[in-house]
Amino acid sequence: MKKAYWALIVAAGLSLSGCAAKEAQRPKEEPVVRTTEADAILACAAENRKFSRQEFDRAYKAALAKATQPDSAELSPLICLSLHPQATYKQFKAATEVLVRSVRKHPESAPSLRGLVQLLQRLDQEKIGKRAQNSKHTDEREELESENKELLDRIETLEKNAVQDQDRIKGLQQQIEQLKNIENIIKNRER
């Protein structure tokens, strides 16, 4: 019986080592990496961050010309450049609208772009909120500056009035002194 167990253990060990050898001989499958248009746009945005103003302007004009052609499906450079720090809000908004139209026109071909559209729309909301907040702060600052100017004008007027009042007081003091002198003269004559 012991021999049967040992034989079974040896057979199991050999079969397992054979499986392991076959497993080791199988080539490992490389993971499949699929790049999407959204990946291309974001990679482009990272690569082109150091554009000079002139380089940006040239690249944006070329991308806009390509993207606005009727049969063009080349949106990546335009969207990429609209994310550049030197892009104006108008350029950002126009590129976002082009992307939204493209996704609506071809919803099946752009699943990753829908997420990018949502991200760009959220970014747009933040920009609008920031502008509104800056506008509110500008209005408040202008109001405070106006109030400050009014206060400074009032202070200046009060200072002028104070100088005039001091002059009047001096004049009145002189008149009082003159009246005292006249009174003293009259008293001296009466004696």
Side-chain angles (χ1 to χ4, degrees):
M1 188 92 154
K2 284 186 180 182
K3 287 184 183 183
Y5 284 126
W6 280 108
L8 185 60
I9 290 174
V10 171
L14 288 175
S15 68
L16 286 176
S17 67
C19 289
K22 286 180 186 175
E23 190 69 32
Q25 291 174 355
R26 260 193 238 163
K28 290 186 177 179
E29 294 179 22
E30 293 291 323
V32 177
V33 178
R34 295 183 184 130
T35 59
T36 63
E37 253 189 288
D39 292 333
I41 290 169
L42 296 174
C44 171
E47 291 170 7
N48 295 330
R49 252 185 116 61
K50 294 184 181 178
F51 270 179
S52 69
R53 185 69 188 164
Q54 293 81 14
E55 291 172 324
F56 171 78
D57 288 340
R58 275 193 302 270
Y60 187 84
K61 285 178 186 175
L64 184 61
K66 280 184 183 180
T68 54
Q69 293 175 355
D71 58 341
S72 177
E74 187 65 27
L75 297 176
S76 297
L78 179 67
I79 307 304
C80 159
L81 292 170
S82 75
L83 296 172
H84 195 275
Q86 294 185 22
T88 64
Y89 178 74
K90 187 177 178 180
Q91 290 169 328
F92 170 80
K93 191 70 174 161
T96 301
E97 289 170 5
V98 167
L99 182 60
V100 167
R101 282 193 304 268
S102 175
V103 167
R104 285 183 184 151
K105 190 175 182 180
H106 307 288
E108 73 288 342
S109 65
S112 65
L113 289 180
R114 283 192 298 268
L116 186 59
V117 165
Q118 290 176 343
L119 182 64
L120 293 177
Q121 288 171 337
R122 178 70 179 119
L123 185 61
D124 185 39
Q125 288 173 346
E126 287 299 316
K127 285 184 175 195
I128 290 170
K130 186 176 179 182
R131 274 193 175 172
Q133 189 175 31
N134 285 343
S135 176
K136 179 182 174 187
H137 289 309
T138 301
D139 292 345
E140 288 173 353
R141 187 182 75 237
E142 288 173 356
E143 190 176 315
L144 287 173
E145 286 174 354
S146 175
E147 289 175 11
N148 191 26
K149 185 179 182 322
E150 288 175 14
L151 288 173
L152 289 174
D153 289 345
R154 286 170 77 193
I155 289 171
E156 188 177 322
T157 302
L158 290 172
E159 286 175 346
K160 285 180 184 177
N161 289 344
V163 168
Q164 290 174 353
D165 289 344
Q166 288 295 326
D167 290 342
R168 267 192 245 139
I169 289 171
K170 284 181 185 175
L172 291 173
Q173 284 176 340
Q174 288 175 353
Q175 286 178 1
I176 290 172
E177 285 297 318
Q178 288 175 354
L179 288 173
K180 283 183 182 178
N181 287 339
I182 292 173
E183 185 181 357
N184 285 338
I185 291 172
I186 293 174
K187 282 183 184 178
N188 284 336
R189 280 189 190 172
E190 290 177 358
R191 290 190 205 171

